[in-house]
Amino acid sequence: VGRHDNFFELGGHSLLAVRLLSRLPAAFGVELPLATLFAHPTLAGLAAALVDTRAQDGPQHHLALTPISREQPLPLSFAQQRLWFLAQLEGSRTAYHIPLALQLRGPLDVVAWRRSLDALLARHEALRSVFVAVEGQPHVELLPAEQRMPWLTHDLRGMADAQDQLRQFVLDEAHAPFDLVRGPLVRARLLQLDDDDHVFVLTQHHIVSDGWSMGVLVNELSALYAAFCQGQSSPLPPLAIQYPDYAAWQRQWLAGDRLQQQVTFWRDHLAEAPVCLTLPTDRRRPAQQVFSGDLVPVQIDAELTQGLKQLCQRHGTTLFMTVLAAWAVVLSRLSGQDDLVIGTPTANRSHPDIEPLIGFFVNTLALRLNLSGHPSGRELLAQVRHTALAAQAHQDLPFEQVVEIVNPPRHLDHAPLFQVMLAWQNNDQGDLALPGLQVSPASTPLDVAKFDLDLSLGETADGTIAGALIYATALFDEATIQRHRDYLIAALRGLVADEVQAVNRIPLLGKAERTLLLETWNQTAAPYPAEEAVHTLFEQQVLRTPDAVAVVYEDHALSYAELNDRANRLAHHLIGHGVGADDCVVTLLERSPTLVIAELAILKAGAVYVPLDPSAPPARQQWVITDCASRLVLSDTPSDRATEVPVLVLDRETIDALPPARGPACERRGGDLAYVMYTSGSTGTPK
């Protein structure tokens, strides 16, 4: 930070901020909230804030993170407890597997490689943890440090179908379940394609690891392999604490006033939040959530990335916050909802002693944003910044406890509180430098989606933003998600181009899609027998498809023949009440099959129908009836008001009781009057 004049010159990375602030208590005896760094983004400003806080509050004492006895049952962390409970409820699921696949080209020292893996397992107690329940209450037990990492090897050299077998082995590895009781909850496979060509696959259960842990694992694996290849001992310093020590500390630290502050924040933040984000889907949501998934890549070019960084500097936001604002714009436009809840993972490593540990620390935050009132881009960025910082300041309360506090209605077809995620990949991914080997990521199958949509992005070394949009294949087609990705990029461009305009005015559609929607799909001109009347054309359709469904209402349906029969009966009944050619007949009917029958019957009787909203004020109804000189009023409820125009009450039973009849012969042509529609404007005059 000291090499830059302003924290936001670094892109305002919240991870960097958390790591900086986590060191202040030990160094200065002062704890500062994350919002303080964003309010004082220079070193001078931060130093002044430190002095002021210390002068006002004095040195602050913090609960030390120290080792606990291994002779007693070891507690689960809150995050582990959440996953353990879900495993009991849902069984083993691949949705909680963390895969790592690497292509290793060059002379691999297999003995040193496996020894490195065994050393990692011995070093990190989290990887040797198993979860045992006594009378329904889980606790952690540790496998012995001598335990070797589960290891499978496959020699595919010289096989014609080596690539097919490779894909199958990788797929099998991704779907093989873990046993939480017996463990270990990490395993490895080595597949040899040629003498100097291997694919290494490592799979961990999320209950013992997370995204940050992957960077720790990669860095330590590099150091161990390099040392063991040269016959040296492990170069890694001993760990001062282990994950079980953190789990015990967490339960003491998150208590009392600190716990109550977090509970109060999340209860207020999510009070009366929407239960579900109703995005338009390609298929109906299954009755029970399905976790099959796929992804489309997302690439934001260097020019737009630079524009986003400049926007961040102007408004004191991080790239994550700015992308979150654009993502909220897209989701609001797609769903038609102004009140949104978007989930995001947070590293939750606010104590410096836990940074070198492998373990499950990550938590999930529910960020609630409101786009009502058509905020400008500037206003939305300010709201997102405030919301994200407040949530980060209260990130310690486990997500499952947040769900219990808010207590939203539970549904099996979607996740609680939010169904859409945004993950910003700013963890240290590690540097796997192995002597004599070229290392590159190997493709792994992604067929799991924990949420409807999960946008995962991060900065790349070449100055761009890249990642993927993961989606539930039970809900969406790939083409739909590709459009969603394009909408996101358009929203980002709109924020950069004009931060003052209302975000609901940002154009999301590309030229091709706009042309398709506004021009191509509106080219609906078609030959039409304009010389014939509507009811005559309908009767021709009755002759062609008498048994086809014509009207559906709730659980009731009418075929073309049934609809025609009822309209004929009612048409003769209307003629019997004096309805004739060009007479107006008001329909004061709710939307139902009765309304369709009535309008068709009026046309068959040679008359003109005048639709009138039953919820309109009585004075308005009376004015329309008088103005159009209605011969008759058709209503589905009796009327107690005095009127010179007869009112005929219709319902399904009344129409069915009318005598059967053939269609009346009336001389009507296509150019004759069919209906009169009154506008709802200030004049209310008819069309």
Side-chain angles (χ1 to χ4, degrees):
V1 176
R3 291 195 294 268
H4 295 262
D5 294 332
N6 190 300
F7 168 69
F8 294 107
E9 291 181 22
L10 296 172
H13 295 299
S14 57
L15 177 63
L16 174 64
V18 169
R19 296 182 73 167
L20 172 65
L21 296 181
S22 71
R23 286 156 174 74
L24 296 182
F28 301 103
V30 174
E31 183 175 336
L32 292 180
L34 183 61
T36 301
L37 177 56
F38 280 77
H40 303 87
T42 65
L43 281 177
L46 185 62
L50 268 172
V51 172
D52 290 344
T53 301
R54 187 160 184 167
Q56 294 175 12
D57 301 338
Q60 300 165 9
H61 301 285
H62 302 274
L63 181 65
L65 207 171
T66 56
I68 62 172
S69 170
R70 298 303 190 263
E71 302 301 321
Q72 59 189 3
L74 300 175
L76 284 69
S77 69
F78 291 125
Q80 287 181 325
Q81 184 171 308
R82 178 172 83 245
L83 272 198
W84 179 88
F85 174 77
L86 290 175
Q88 312 313 302
L89 186 67
E90 304 168 351
S92 180
R93 282 221 324 255
T94 58
Y96 301 112
H97 290 186
I98 303 177
L100 172 68
L102 300 171
Q103 186 101 32
L104 308 175
R105 290 190 170 94
L108 175 67
D109 186 336
V110 177
V111 174
W113 187 252
R114 184 166 190 194
R115 185 183 170 195
S116 302
L117 294 171
D118 292 339
L120 277 175
L121 188 64
R123 176 175 171 81
H124 291 278
E125 289 184 353
L127 297 179
R128 292 187 282 114
S129 297
V130 293
F131 300 85
V132 180
V134 177
E135 297 181 351
Q137 296 301 313
H139 67 272
V140 171
E141 293 182 1
L142 300 177
L143 298 175
E146 298 77 22
Q147 173 82 40
R148 302 198 74 186
M149 183 171 293
W151 170 272
L152 292 174
T153 60
H154 307 277
D155 191 344
L156 306 181
R157 287 176 293 182
M159 295 186 179
D161 61 344
Q163 291 300 322
D164 292 337
Q165 289 203 45
L166 172 64
R167 281 190 291 270
Q168 188 58 51
F169 279 127
V170 172
L171 192 63
D172 292 344
E173 173 60 38
H175 289 280
F178 283 105
D179 187 335
L180 296 186
V181 176
R182 297 182 180 180
L185 301 180
V186 57
R187 58 177 182 251
R189 287 195 192 213
L190 186 66
L191 303 106
Q192 187 168 9
L193 302 175
D194 206 338
D195 290 346
D196 291 335
D197 190 0
H198 296 78
V199 171
F200 171 68
V201 181
L202 184 77
T203 307
Q204 303 172 86
H205 195 288
H206 201 358
I207 202 169
V208 298
S209 187
D210 58 16
W212 181 304
S213 299
M214 295 298 288
V216 175
L217 185 147
V218 165
N219 286 330
E220 293 191 351
L221 188 58
S222 295
L224 289 167
Y225 179 76
F228 293 160
C229 281
Q230 299 175 20
Q232 301 173 357
S233 59
S234 170
L236 301 177
L239 293 172
I241 61 166
Q242 291 279 354
Y243 190 87
D245 305 317
Y246 159 77
W249 172 86
Q250 181 193 41
R251 291 180 176 274
Q252 297 179 57
W253 184 79
L254 190 59
D257 290 343
R258 188 185 297 272
L259 174 61
Q260 190 54 49
Q261 289 173 5
Q262 303 246 345
V263 168
T264 300
F265 170 81
W266 288 110
R267 181 184 291 119
D268 295 344
H269 179 61
L270 296 172
E272 300 182 0
V275 174
C276 185
L277 184 65
T278 54
L279 296 171
T281 59
D282 296 304
R283 284 166 291 282
R284 298 186 67 170
R285 188 180 291 275
Q288 187 163 349
Q289 189 176 3
V290 178
F291 295 94
S292 58
D294 205 345
L295 63 81
V296 297
V298 179
Q299 183 73 47
I300 299 173
D301 61 46
E303 181 181 359
L304 178 54
T305 300
Q306 185 59 34
L308 292 171
K309 289 182 178 180
Q310 293 170 358
L311 184 67
C312 290
Q313 288 188 4
R314 290 196 297 273
H315 296 280
T317 59
T318 66
L319 281 172
F320 163 77
M321 296 174 186
T322 303
V323 172
L324 177 61
W327 191 219
V329 170
V330 172
L331 296 174
S332 177
R333 297 272 281 275
L334 288 172
S335 66
Q337 296 175 225
D338 293 330
D339 195 358
L340 310 172
V341 181
I342 302 172
T344 187
T346 179
N348 200 28
R349 299 207 185 207
S350 56
H351 198 293
D353 289 350
I354 63 179
E355 290 182 10
L357 296 184
I358 291 175
F360 183 22
F361 297 92
V362 68
N363 195 13
T364 305
L365 307 179
L367 306 179
R368 187 177 184 182
L369 303 173
N370 195 310
L371 278 71
S372 63
H374 308 311
S376 66
R378 178 186 300 165
E379 292 167 339
L380 180 58
L381 287 171
Q383 181 192 157
V384 169
R385 168 179 153 146
H386 172 79
T387 299
L389 290 177
Q392 284 278 355
H394 299 86
Q395 66 175 299
D396 303 292
L397 192 68
F399 175 71
E400 200 61 30
Q401 292 191 28
V402 173
V403 175
E404 292 175 3
I405 291 166
V406 178
N407 194 25
R410 301 297 182 97
H411 299 277
L412 295 177
D413 61 351
H414 61 75
L417 290 186
F418 57 80
Q419 298 77 47
V420 175
M421 288 277 288
L422 171 59
W424 193 257
Q425 304 299 338
N426 57 3
N427 291 329
D428 179 9
Q429 299 300 309
D431 182 16
L432 194 60
L434 305 178
L437 296 174
Q438 292 181 344
V439 184
S440 60
S443 61
T444 56
L446 175 76
D447 56 1
V448 173
K450 300 177 187 177
F451 301 93
D452 294 357
L453 295 175
D454 188 350
L455 179 62
S456 178
L457 296 175
E459 281 191 84
T460 65
D462 61 359
T464 65
I465 297 172
L469 181 51
I470 303 166
Y471 63 96
T473 53
L475 301 177
F476 301 103
D477 293 331
E478 181 181 9
T480 299
I481 302 305
Q482 289 172 344
R483 289 196 300 273
H484 291 179
R485 173 196 59 194
D486 295 343
Y487 298 156
L488 172 66
I489 294 175
L492 290 169
R493 293 191 187 281
L495 286 175
V496 170
D498 186 357
E499 63 202 56
V500 178
Q501 71 172 324
V503 293
N504 69 313
R505 304 295 297 175
I506 295 176
L508 300 185
L509 301 183
K511 182 178 180 180
E513 188 175 3
R514 180 177 292 274
T515 300
L516 177 68
L517 293 176
L518 300 183
E519 298 178 19
T520 305
W521 284 353
N522 279 323
Q523 293 174 359
T524 56
Y528 186 81
E531 71 281 358
E532 297 189 68
V534 172
H535 65 279
T536 304
L537 297 173
F538 175 81
E539 289 164 352
Q540 294 171 7
Q541 184 65 35
V542 172
L543 294 175
R544 287 192 294 269
T545 59
D547 297 326
V549 174
V551 175
V552 175
Y553 178 72
E554 295 180 346
D555 58 351
H556 183 60
L558 289 177
S559 69
Y560 276 90
E562 291 170 332
L563 177 57
N564 192 55
D565 173 67
R566 286 163 173 77
N568 286 340
R569 296 180 188 219
L570 182 56
H572 281 278
H573 191 60
L574 296 178
I575 293 172
H577 278 74
V579 172
D582 293 330
D583 285 337
C584 286
V585 177
V586 166
T587 59
L588 196 61
L589 300 165
E590 299 288 349
R591 294 187 180 211
S592 70
T594 300
L595 176 59
V596 180
I597 293 168
E599 292 179 343
L600 188 55
I602 293 169
L603 294 175
K604 283 174 172 281
V608 179
Y609 68 84
V610 185
L612 184 54
D613 187 354
S615 64
R620 169 68 172 173
Q621 294 179 7
Q622 186 59 53
W623 182 86
V624 171
I625 292 170
T626 302
D627 186 72
C628 72
S630 178
R631 168 75 66 169
L632 192 66
V633 175
L634 305 183
S635 176
D636 45 20
T637 57
S639 174
D640 56 0
R641 64 177 182 272
T643 176
E644 297 180 357
V645 180
V647 176
L648 182 61
V649 179
L650 295 181
D651 55 30
R652 179 178 173 182
E653 291 74 18
T654 301
I655 296 174
D656 288 346
L658 296 173
R662 296 177 61 86
C666 58
E667 296 296 330
R668 301 298 303 273
R669 300 188 60 80
D672 294 339
L673 190 63
Y675 63 87
V676 174
M677 187 76 69
Y678 279 76
T679 67
S680 58
S682 58
T683 62
T685 55
K687 297 179 181 177

